[in-house]
Amino acid sequence: MSTESSPRLGLDYVLAAQAQKHVTVNESLRRLDALVQASVVSRSTDTQPASPAEGDAYILTAQAAGADWDLMADGALAIYRDAEWAEIPSKEGWRIWVEDDQELIVHVGGVWGPLSDSITALGNLHRFGLGTTADASNPFTAKLNAALWTALTAGEGGTGDLRCSLNKESGGHVLSLLFQSAYSSRAEMGLLGDDEFRLKLSPDGAAWQDVIRARPERLDIAAPDGVWVNAVNGTAPAVRRNRILNGDFGIAQRGTSFASAASGDRLLDGWKLASAGGMTCDIAQLSFAPGQGDVPGGPRHYLEWTLTGTAAGYPAIEQRIENVDCLPQGDTVLSFHAMADRSVSLTATFRRHFGSGGSASDVLVQQTLSLSASWARFTVAVPVASLDGKTLGDGHSLALELNLQDGETSVVISLADIQFEPGDTATPFERLSFSENLQRCQRYVASTYAPAIAPGSAVMDGALRSATSGPANTAIFNWRLAVPMRAAPSVTAYSPQTGASGKIDASGTDLAASILSTSTNAIAVQSASHSGVDLAAVHLFATAEL
């Protein structure tokens, strides 16, 4: 330890029996005058001033030059006093105000830098104003044109996440963001006096209207004019998103059960067995138990596809969607629920068939999915390629095919809520009413039988009625279709009494039936000649499927 000067400021001590003690004391006072409440003219001046004022001080640069400054160290304080320059070496932690920069600097690690660079923590501040003055009502205030919050990355020791938490004392208090225009409130969102998330709007800052109210199990749209939406997943709200016909398997105009179906057989409306693949295929419409939770949205039916034996090909069910251009170019998505009685692979394929005289078919996507013994939702992205350069022929269509692999063995597969829609997001299944679903199906299949009654059943309900009279005692039936069909249909007549095809019933007698005319909206049928006047009846089944 030095016995001649102080350790921090280097102030010389007055020694015992020292002569001229005032010299030592005055030198220490000069040093204190320079260092206490220290201030320098500049820390960027390179040339020693020619006419400095008494008390002027500088922090020397590495380029400092002059008769006296040449002898002094970089970063030291040069102080002009008593008509000469004196050097004071800088020490760690010294703080000095720089007059020309209007900045407080600190000596850290052998160099001078802004004091703000050394501040790493602030705590227990009562007010903070950024670009403006904070007050008691707004102890944190910022006046600026842009703000950025960004996550601390993993490479910087963070997680890469950013979560801003806002907290209130209890449920009855308010936690919100308030949006103002010219300091007049226009919108507020948050937990406004309870624990439900709300958004409310105001035209004047005084009258308020709740717009959205959300809770974990429900979302309420409280706006008095309702919701205005241009598109849902790329489709106008008035237009049905789902391009699959009878995707919930609710319409069964051919009946609900198909035992030992053969390749090409039509099944539930819109669906056919494209190939049995050498297996025995039994297909049926089954009903969900009320209140089940395996498939959301409250579906009533699903399709059960029972395959027995070993596949010698690719067993497949298929739906052909009318018009290959039914979806715009770009992103589309298939979604459905499925399960099997054992683990099995099911392949979803989308093909474009360009119709008679059109371009060769192509495949948009083919994806294999793994089914298990529990219901699961599957999604398949289907990029729709451009039709540029393609030729569209008669009956062009887009086909969805669900198939097993060659060599597969016995399995039971269940399918529900199949949806194909534009966009890159699979939305919840678009549930239609039974009547709307039936009307969509009647463009392709029409029947006088009640829904779910197979053609050829011996039932009178729904049969057309006429008397055997007119020309040669024949019965003539005119059937105005409820929905115009895709094309003039193929029509089969059935006797309601016996279920025989190509027949009408005349009070218990089957008579041969002939189709007089067919069009997209009407069908006329005439019976063979019959003696006497009897009440005749007939069931008709018309198809115009792809």
Side-chain angles (χ1 to χ4, degrees), residues 28 43 78 85 112 124 156 161 166 189 273 310 363 492 515 524:
S28 293
R43 69 183 184 111
W85 290 97
W112 291 97
N124 293 320
E156 298 170 310
D161 302 320
L166 303 176
M189 66 179 182
L273 185 65
T310 300
V363 174
T492 303
I515 308 301

Side-chain angles (χ1 to χ4, degrees), residues 73-398:
D74 173 23
L77 273 72
I79 303 171
Y80 190 74
R81 66 191 186 193
D82 299 330
E84 64 181 7
W85 290 97
E87 177 188 9
I88 301 177
S90 300
K91 290 192 175 182
E92 189 80 1
W94 283 8
R95 293 170 295 280
I96 292 179
W97 178 256
V98 182
E99 296 171 9
D100 62 352
D101 289 340
Q102 293 290 290
E103 183 178 36
L104 189 63
I105 62 173
V106 63
H107 194 255
V108 178
V111 296
W112 291 97
L115 178 63
S116 59
D117 289 351
S118 301
I119 298 174
T120 58
L122 293 173
N124 293 320
L125 298 178
H126 294 290
R127 295 182 187 177
F128 182 78
L130 180 61
T132 186
T133 301
D135 56 32
S137 298
N138 298 285
F140 175 79
T141 306
K143 190 174 186 180
L144 60 168
N145 292 118
L148 171 66
W149 297 74
T150 186
L152 185 65
T153 65
E156 298 170 310
T159 64
D161 302 320
L162 179 63
R163 176 177 284 114
C164 297
S165 298
L166 303 176
N167 181 63
K168 61 179 181 175
E169 182 177 349
S170 65
H173 289 82
V174 171
L175 179 65
S176 73
L177 295 177
L178 186 64
F179 300 86
Q180 298 181 327
S181 177
Y183 297 105
S184 178
S185 299
R186 292 293 180 269
E188 186 174 14
M189 66 179 182
L191 309 180
L192 308 179
D194 53 33
D195 286 338
E196 296 179 357
F197 181 85
R198 300 187 190 196
L199 169 64
K200 64 179 184 178
L201 302 177
S202 173
D204 54 10
W208 289 88
Q209 170 65 53
D210 279 348
V211 176
I212 294 176
R213 180 180 174 185
R215 63 200 87 173
E217 74 284 356
R218 180 173 172 178
L219 174 66
D220 293 335
I221 306 298
D225 290 338
V227 179
W228 295 74
V229 181
N230 288 330
V232 176
N233 214 19
T235 300
V239 178
R240 292 302 180 190
R241 300 190 316 279
N242 192 2
R243 301 305 197 266
I244 293 291
L245 184 70
N246 197 26
D248 65 356
F249 304 107
I251 306 302
Q253 294 189 87
R254 282 190 170 87
T256 60
S257 181
F258 306 88
S260 300
S263 298
D265 279 359
R266 300 286 179 168
L267 310 169
L268 302 178
D269 284 54
W271 300 94
K272 76 173 182 179
L273 185 65
S275 173
M279 303 183 79
T280 299
C281 294
D282 298 321
I283 297 169
Q285 177 203 68
L286 297 185
S287 297
F288 281 108
Q292 61 81 33
D294 294 324
V295 178
R300 297 185 61 187
H301 302 289
Y302 64 96
L303 181 141
E304 184 178 83
W305 181 16
T306 301
L307 300 104
T308 306
T310 300
Y314 296 87
I317 62 172
E318 179 192 68
Q319 178 167 141
R320 293 208 175 188
I321 305 167
E322 185 179 0
N323 296 331
V324 74
D325 54 355
C326 65
L327 287 168
Q329 177 184 345
D331 294 328
T332 62
V333 62
L334 168 72
S335 61
F336 62 95
H337 285 80
M339 64 171 290
D341 64 346
R342 63 174 178 82
S343 296
V344 70
S345 294
L346 184 70
T347 300
T349 304
F350 269 100
R351 303 180 192 275
R352 295 194 297 186
H353 298 282
F354 293 99
S356 176
S359 300
S361 298
D362 62 14
V363 174
L364 293 177
V365 73
Q366 189 169 62
Q367 183 170 329
T368 298
L369 309 167
S370 297
L371 275 57
S372 70
S374 298
W375 281 103
R377 192 187 193 205
F378 298 90
T379 60
V380 178
V382 185
V384 177
S386 171
L387 290 171
D388 186 38
K390 300 293 186 181
T391 300
L392 303 184
D394 292 338
H396 54 85
S397 63
L398 183 63

Side-chain angles (χ1 to χ4, degrees), residues 279 307-311 342 344 404-412:
M279 303 183 79
L307 300 104
T308 306
T310 300
R342 63 174 178 82
V344 70
L404 296 182
Q405 298 300 307
D406 187 15
E408 193 58 79
T409 56
S410 299
V411 65
V412 179

